[in-house]
Amino acid sequence: MSTAVVPTLSWNLVTRNLHGHPLLRKKLRQKIAKLERHLVRFPPDAVHLQLSLERNANKDLYTAALTLRVPSNILRSEKSGPDLIQAFDLAVKALLRELTGLKAKLRRESFWKRKARRDQLHELKSAGFAPEPQAEGEGPQSFADVLRALLQQHYSRLLRYVRRSLWHETAAGELPPNAIDARAVVDEVARQALAAPEKKPDKFSYLVWLFTLARREIVRRRRAWQAQATQVTSLDTPQPLAEQAEAAAGYDPEQPLDIIEQQLQPPIAEAKDLLPDQRTPNPAEVVADRELLAQTRKLAATWPRAEREVFELYFVEGFEPEEVAMILGRSTKAVQDLIQSVHRRLREAVTEQALV
């Protein structure tokens, strides 16, 4: 009879001016066990804890820093004191407070609301930190290494978002195909984040910040291209149709559709609007229709840019209205209004599809 393998959470220890002897590692392992129950619903392969211990060379002072990478964010705490274990214990308690706050926020997000995701998380075995840290020299050796791992984890997602955004620009006739290199945009996002991580606003998660940088870079490059573009376009120059622009812009119409899991909620309406239309299928069922979603994405090319951005960030990427507001630099109220507007457009599209 086979025994199920219980996954473990990885961690590594970086020391400066002191030796990480076995007894110290054992004490550290006991201390970080306090974090385990708060990490049970996170995929083990998306979690890593870096411990950094340093002894001041000039005075009897120790600094303990903990850097925790979770799926969408990086949490960090740092404490100093004359006693190493006491400083480390204070750092663990500070990280616990940050982790508790993060989990309280995540409980309100679609990341936890989606049934498939929720079922998957419940199937996870309770994971604990490995008995021993990774071998010396393995794992992240600095905060930049932790951030680089988060960037690598979300690189493909950021690239899909940028490609879809550029496809919308091309389909709307605002950019020609290949005017902007999607990979160059994401690489610039990584460069900016690694060069100045301290510029991340405190209220932003790292994932929200990365998407904010990506959108800003798209805007910057679009404006730069438009400033250099000629004002007169030859009538002999062929203009690509939206269908042709898809491939040219690197857009895969199938790839992003499987991540659209947002259910359509009825907008605020008059009483007559609340009466169900028997000709119209339930939007929550139709949202899984890939063909309709592909048509909706092409339809979105005719919408104002603000609605297209909300469609991508809220309906496709699953960010909460407050997070969409952060990324777009708008008020939460303005974003909620845009979401309602997109709701109406989507419901109209569902109705039109039912009447065909």
Side-chain angles (χ1 to χ4, degrees), residues 233-258:
T233 302
S234 171
L235 295 178
D236 296 330
T237 303
Q239 299 299 314
L241 300 176
E243 291 80 0
Q244 299 170 335
E246 292 180 1
Y251 172 67
D252 181 350
E254 292 297 319
Q255 188 178 36
L257 299 181
D258 58 357

Side-chain angles (χ1 to χ4, degrees), residues 159 162-163 166 178-187 217 221:
L159 184 59
V162 172
R163 282 176 171 168
L166 294 177
N178 302 319
I180 297 176
D181 183 352
R183 287 189 179 275
V185 172
V186 180
D187 290 344
E217 186 61 17
R221 292 183 182 234

Side-chain angles (χ1 to χ4, degrees), residues 197-206 208-209 212-213 216 326:
E198 70 279 1
K199 291 185 177 181
K200 181 189 76 67
D202 291 339
K203 63 180 181 179
F204 284 37
S205 71
Y206 273 89
V208 167
W209 185 48
T212 303
L213 293 178
R216 289 176 182 172
M326 293 177 187

Side-chain angles (χ1 to χ4, degrees), residues 24-58:
L24 175 61
R25 294 200 300 269
K26 182 178 180 181
K27 286 184 175 293
L28 298 179
R29 176 61 182 81
Q30 293 172 346
K31 295 289 184 181
I32 63 177
K34 299 176 182 178
L35 302 170
E36 291 175 348
R37 67 186 182 90
H38 294 279
L39 299 171
V40 66
R41 297 303 181 195
F42 289 109
D45 59 352
V47 175
H48 183 87
L49 177 64
Q50 182 214 46
L51 313 182
S52 177
L53 305 179
E54 181 176 4
R55 179 180 180 181
N56 191 295
N58 299 320

Side-chain angles (χ1 to χ4, degrees), residues 308-328:
R308 297 200 308 258
E309 291 180 325
V310 165
F311 175 76
E312 287 293 336
L313 293 169
Y314 180 77
F315 290 90
V316 178
E317 293 296 339
F319 286 111
E320 290 294 289
E322 296 82 2
E323 295 174 318
V324 176
M326 293 177 187
I327 296 172
L328 299 182

Side-chain angles (χ1 to χ4, degrees), residues 123-140:
E123 291 176 0
L124 291 175
K125 302 294 183 181
S126 297
F129 285 104
E132 292 289 333
Q134 294 175 320
E136 186 176 356
E138 293 186 7

